[in-house]
Amino acid sequence: MLLKIVGTATCFLVSVFIIRKYREYTWGKCKSKRSVKNKTVIITGANSGIGKATALELAKRGARVILACRDHEKGQKALIDIRSKSRNGVLKVMELDLASFESIKKFSNEFLRSEERLDVLINNAGIFQCPYMTTEEGYEMQFGVNHLGHFLLTKLLLEKLKQSAPSRIVTVSSSLYSKGVLNFDTLNSKEHYEKGMAYKNSKLANVLFCRELSKRLEGTGVTVYSVCPGMVLTNLGRHVSIKWWKLIAVAPIAWLFIRTPYQGAQTVLHCAISEEVESESGLCYKNCKKTGFAKVAEDETVAKKLWEVSEKLCAKAEKSE
C-alpha cells in the first residue's frame, strides 16, 4: 500500500513538473541578442518585479538604464544589485511618484536637462486592487497611477523620443484588460469603486492609450507596444490579503501559472529591443508574440475619448510648467 501511495504521488509530481515545463516553453523568451550599448532606457517601477528584471537584462546588454522609482532608497538598493549582476551598462536612479503630477513634471524636467536621448520608455509601474484612495490631484489611485501618471509622463517625454527615433514606448498592461469597462462618468467615483474592477479598467486604459498613441505617432519613428506579461510573482499584490489556508490550498495549482519576474519580463524585453517588432506599432503582445485585441479594446472612438479625457485631467499640470 505504501509503495502504491508513493508511486502515485511520484507520478503526480512528475506530471505537474512536465506541465510546468511545457507552460514555461509556451510563455516564450526574448530571442534578440541585440546590443543596446549607448541607448538610454527609462523604466518606471524598476526597483522590483518585472521592472527590475527588465532593467537587469537591458543593463547586461549595455544600456544606460534610468530606474524611475517612487522610493529612492529602494531604487538605490536595486541599482547596487543590478550592477553587481550585470557588470555592464550605466545605471541611474531618479525619483518618480506617478501619483503626483508635480513629481512627474520634476522627473521629466530633470531628465530632459540631464540626458541627451531617450531610446525606450517602459511604462511598467503599477498598483493593484488597493482600497479606495486618491492621487495627489484627487484622482482614483489605480486609474491615476496605472494610466494617468504614465499618460502624462509619456506626453512630457515625447519630443525627446522623437528626437531619438527610432525609439519605442512599451506599456505593461494585463490580460485582465479584456474584463474592463470604461465608464467616463464614474472614473473617479468612490461610490462606484470596486477594487478588482478598477484594476481591470486601468489596464484597459493602458491598451487603449497605446492604440491611440500609435496613431498620433505615425511617421515619427516612435513605435508603441502594450504588453500582457502573464501572472507574475511580484509585490504587486501587497494590498490583497488571502488567508493562509487558502494560500496552501491553491499553491500547487498556482505554481503551474505563476511566472518569475525574469519570465514576466521577456515580452517586455521583446518589445523593447527585438528586431521582429520594429516595423509594428499599436499592437498588443503576450508570450513574445503579438496577439489580437479583446473586443472591448477595438473601439477607436473610446480610445480617442480616453485620450481627450486624459488630456483634460492632466491639463492643470502641463499649464503650470
Side-chain angles (χ1 to χ4, degrees), residues 101-251:
F101 284 173
E102 189 60 37
S103 176
I104 296 169
K105 288 193 299 175
K106 182 179 178 181
F107 171 90
S108 301
N109 289 335
E110 183 180 338
F111 177 86
L112 295 173
R113 282 195 302 267
S114 63
E115 302 295 329
E116 295 182 358
R117 59 185 302 112
L118 176 56
D119 299 277
V120 184
L121 170 62
I122 300 178
N123 294 322
N124 163 76
I127 189 167
F128 176 74
Q129 292 197 21
C130 60
Y132 184 84
M133 55 181 77
T134 60
T135 65
E136 193 172 282
E137 287 71 32
Y139 302 125
E140 187 276 309
M141 187 64 77
Q142 294 191 76
F143 180 78
V145 169
N146 297 351
H147 166 65
L148 207 56
H150 283 126
F151 176 90
L152 177 59
L153 176 67
T154 302
K155 284 204 70 183
L156 294 175
L157 297 175
L158 267 185
E159 286 307 311
K160 182 67 75 175
L161 283 158
K162 291 177 183 177
Q163 292 166 13
S164 308
S167 54
R168 305 185 186 191
I169 301 169
V170 181
T171 297
V172 179
S173 181
S174 164
S175 296
L176 290 173
Y177 87 84
S178 63
K179 306 295 183 182
V181 179
L182 283 184
N183 185 331
F184 293 101
D185 295 324
T186 60
L187 282 178
N188 208 43
S189 172
K190 183 175 182 179
E191 180 184 354
H192 294 87
Y193 183 74
E194 195 284 307
K195 62 182 184 179
M197 196 64 193
Y199 179 75
K200 295 170 188 175
N201 294 345
S202 71
K203 296 290 103 177
L204 172 58
N206 288 155
V207 175
L208 292 172
F209 166 55
C210 287
R211 295 202 67 180
E212 182 65 19
L213 179 60
S214 69
K215 289 172 59 179
R216 293 170 182 260
L217 290 175
E218 286 180 4
T220 65
V222 184
T223 48
V224 185
Y225 313 87
S226 58
V227 171
C228 297
M231 191 184 302
V232 183
L233 185 61
T234 69
N235 65 354
L236 188 65
R238 59 189 177 275
H239 293 290
V240 179
S241 178
I242 303 177
K243 295 183 183 299
W244 66 267
W245 58 269
K246 286 186 178 180
L247 284 174
I248 293 174
V250 303

